[in-house]
Amino acid sequence: MSSRQEEQQIIIESLKVALFKLMKEKSFNSITVSELVKTAGIARSTFYRHFNDKLSFVRSLIQTEMDQFDAVYQPQTIEERFEDKYIKEVWHSLLGNKAQIKGLVEAGLSHIYLEEFNHHLLKLFPYSMTIDEKIHLYGLAGAQYNIIFNLYEHI
């Protein structure tokens, strides 16, 4: 990893810690970028070099989490993503992200997870999909969303 990549990871991790700290004190909507960067200990310009706003930062966190998960668990087809084994792996992975899942729910942002999951899956299967394949894809996204956000209290 290059020093620039390491620096970017430190920035993102600092922002992530700061965001979840602030979300324990106040609602997501009432957190300003100024508060976020001050709490994270970074310059406002640094934040805007990487993100357009708080929501794009949250989307980035979700995308990164999904990319990391897929680097470890690599189903090759949409159908494999429906298998119990894979869905249980999703659940076990989420056990390591309890605070983030609860933070998304409490901030009223869980729908962003579903949107990003849909985008993520479409990116993984970039060919022209049939309607049946899209039904499977969106069914998977909805099923995993329901597992995560209807059972989040148990993680």
Side-chain angles (χ1 to χ4, degrees):
M1 179 181 297
S2 73
S3 61
R4 185 165 175 82
Q5 289 172 319
E6 284 180 31
E7 179 183 322
Q8 186 173 354
Q9 272 197 295
I10 291 168
I11 290 166
I12 291 169
E13 188 60 29
S14 297
L15 286 166
K16 182 176 161 182
V17 168
L19 178 64
F20 286 104
K21 178 181 184 273
L22 289 168
M23 285 172 51
K24 288 180 182 176
E25 301 167 8
K26 57 193 338 186
S27 73
F28 177 79
N29 290 334
S30 66
I31 298 169
T32 65
V33 171
S34 294
E35 288 175 298
L36 180 59
V37 297
K38 182 178 179 183
T39 304
I42 66 166
R44 187 177 172 90
S45 60
T46 301
F47 177 86
Y48 284 114
R49 190 173 349 149
H50 298 284
F51 309 102
N52 294 327
D53 54 28
K54 295 180 306 187
L55 202 49
S56 68
F57 173 62
V58 170
R59 288 181 184 280
S60 172
L61 292 176
I62 294 168
Q63 291 164 2
T64 299
E65 180 183 315
M66 289 179 187
D67 289 342
Q68 290 171 345
F69 181 84
D70 278 347
V72 176
Y73 306 100
Q74 303 173 356
Q76 300 301 307
T77 67
I78 296 169
E79 288 75 21
E80 286 179 43
R81 289 177 176 270
F82 275 105
E83 293 175 2
D84 279 350
K85 177 184 172 196
Y86 177 79
I87 292 175
K88 287 177 184 171
E89 293 296 344
V90 169
W91 178 255
H92 290 292
S93 173
L94 292 170
L95 292 175
N97 295 313
K98 294 176 193 179
Q100 293 145 329
I101 297 300
K102 289 181 180 187
L104 284 174
V105 171
E106 291 167 5
L109 299 174
S110 61
H111 67 283
I112 300 298
Y113 186 95
L114 181 59
E115 291 172 11
E116 291 306 317
F117 193 48
N118 285 334
H119 293 307
H120 179 76
L121 290 174
L122 287 171
K123 185 174 65 176
L124 292 176
F125 302 102
Y127 59 88
S128 183
M129 299 176 112
T130 67
I131 192 69
D132 285 343
E133 289 172 321
K134 286 182 180 179
I135 289 169
H136 283 303
L137 185 83
Y138 292 130
L140 168 69
Q144 286 188 3
Y145 174 85
N146 278 313
I147 289 168
I148 295 163
F149 291 100
N150 285 319
L151 297 176
Y152 84 94
E153 296 142 351
H154 301 285
I155 57 176

